[in-house]
Amino acid sequence: MSLTTYTSCIKITRNDGAVLGLTELDADVTIGGQLYQASSGYDPTTLSSTSSLSVNNAETSGALTITGIDRDDLIAGLYDHAVVEFILADYVALTNIKTLGTGNLGEVTLIDGMYKAEYRSLSQYLQQTIGRKYTAECDATLGDTRCGINLATFTYSGTVTSSASNSSLIDTALIGTQVDGYYDYGLVTFTSGLNNGLTQEVKTYVDSTGAFTLLLPLPYTISASDTFTVYAGCNKAKQTCIDKFNNVVRFRGFDMIPGQDKILKFGVSIAPNGI
């Protein structure tokens, strides 16, 4: 009976550049300068691969505390669309035999201290529709080249006065400086504290109290004296583009196109004499 010294490994490159290596071997192994950690909590499924352009897929799962994948990092989005490489390696020769697949992490679920992550190959991008849609709202992203707004002009740098939860904060220095809703749909980025470098969308802003409510909670506690930046939000409406940003010449919506009410309207018969 012939024996092999092959093992499967997975290399994950997170959004912040950190790299995590896992192997189903029973001992840590370093291949090509990358450490692949052995873990009984790492359980890859069979990698599905075809010669067509269909999306190749697989799943990997395990216990968070065993594999070194931190729950808060997952919630913070550091693994969202992370680059994944499936590798077949020789753990004796310490060489990479073959790269079985490269792609990105898809949906990640967390249940009772366990994670399950979906892998999608690069051909996933071929399934995406490319092109613009005709909508009344602007389809540009605030501050991008199509929008043209200088975000620095609409950005505020502040310090948290108090926070009641991971999804709310108050900066009393802001009271009376804007109007209610000014920062709605904008993005808050923390520049210090436990959430340093993390960004979340603003759900509501109340100017009379300087209070922000975030769309989703941050993974770590928001503390007084944490610093942050936030820029004004845009609801994609033409009137907002006019009144708030004075940028209607770059408005990317199609607000003059008739809506569904016109499409579904019943036709009316008109006599030749107009009666």
Side-chain angles (χ1 to χ4, degrees):
M1 180 178 66
S2 61
L3 299 176
T4 66
T5 55
Y6 295 169
T7 184
S8 68
C9 301
I10 182 173
K11 180 180 177 182
I12 302 174
T13 304
R14 305 190 320 188
N15 296 332
D16 60 355
V19 179
L20 176 67
L22 304 173
T23 178
E24 60 179 349
L25 195 63
D26 58 359
D28 293 353
V29 60
T30 299
I31 299 172
Q34 173 64 46
L35 172 65
Y36 294 91
Q37 302 176 58
S39 171
S40 59
Y42 162 54
D43 181 24
T45 64
T46 300
L47 176 64
S48 171
S49 180
T50 68
S51 59
S52 67
L53 292 179
S54 60
V55 180
N56 303 330
N57 60 78
E59 282 186 349
T60 180
S61 61
L64 292 171
T65 56
I66 296 176
T67 59
I69 296 177
D70 187 79
R71 176 180 181 275
D72 289 337
D73 288 343
L74 283 168
I75 295 175
L78 297 181
Y79 287 90
D80 290 354
H81 307 294
V83 177
V84 178
E85 295 177 61
F86 279 93
I87 297 169
L88 182 65
D90 187 325
Y91 60 84
V92 172
L94 300 180
T95 57
N96 181 354
I97 301 299
K98 184 179 182 180
T99 299
L100 301 175
T102 301
N104 300 90
L105 283 185
E107 183 179 2
V108 179
T109 56
L110 296 171
I111 302 176
D112 299 329
M114 299 287 294
Y115 74 91
K116 180 179 289 186
E118 180 187 45
Y119 160 82
R120 307 288 280 174
S121 67
L122 294 177
S123 55
Q124 167 72 17
Y125 293 106
L126 298 177
Q127 310 295 321
Q128 300 177 4
T129 302
I130 299 175
R132 298 183 63 189
K133 294 182 179 179
Y134 290 95
T135 62
E137 295 79 21
C138 179
D139 65 351
T141 299
L142 186 67
D144 69 8
T145 54
R146 296 177 62 238
C147 169
I149 284 292
N150 181 8
L151 283 181
T153 306
F154 298 91
T155 298
Y156 167 80
S157 298
T159 303
V160 176
T161 304
S162 62
S163 173
S165 70
N166 287 14
S167 59
S168 65
L169 63 100
I170 292 175
D171 181 357
T172 54
L174 269 172
I175 295 176
T177 61
Q178 299 295 346
V179 296
D180 288 351
Y182 181 80
Y183 293 105
D184 293 5
Y185 308 108
L187 294 181
V188 170
T189 300
F190 281 81
T191 53
S192 72
L194 297 177
N195 294 296
N196 185 29
L198 299 184
T199 299
Q200 186 53 258
E201 183 177 330
V202 177
K203 182 178 181 182
T204 59
Y205 168 71
V206 180
D207 190 63
S208 60
T209 58
F212 294 85
T213 300
L214 306 183
L215 183 63
L216 294 172
L218 289 163
Y220 309 110
T221 301
I222 302 173
S223 302
S225 77
D226 285 355
T227 56
F228 66 92
T229 61
V230 59
Y231 60 77
C234 179
N235 63 2
K236 308 296 184 179
K238 184 176 183 178
Q239 200 59 46
T240 300
C241 197
I242 296 172
D243 298 337
K244 192 172 185 176
F245 300 104
N246 190 27
N247 195 43
V248 70
V249 294
R250 288 178 174 264
F251 180 70
R252 304 298 179 176
F254 301 88
D255 59 310
M256 303 300 290
I257 292 179
Q260 282 223 0
D261 56 333
K262 297 293 185 181
I263 296 173
L264 300 176
K265 189 175 180 179
F266 287 103
V268 178
S269 177
I270 300 177
N273 58 5
I275 299 175

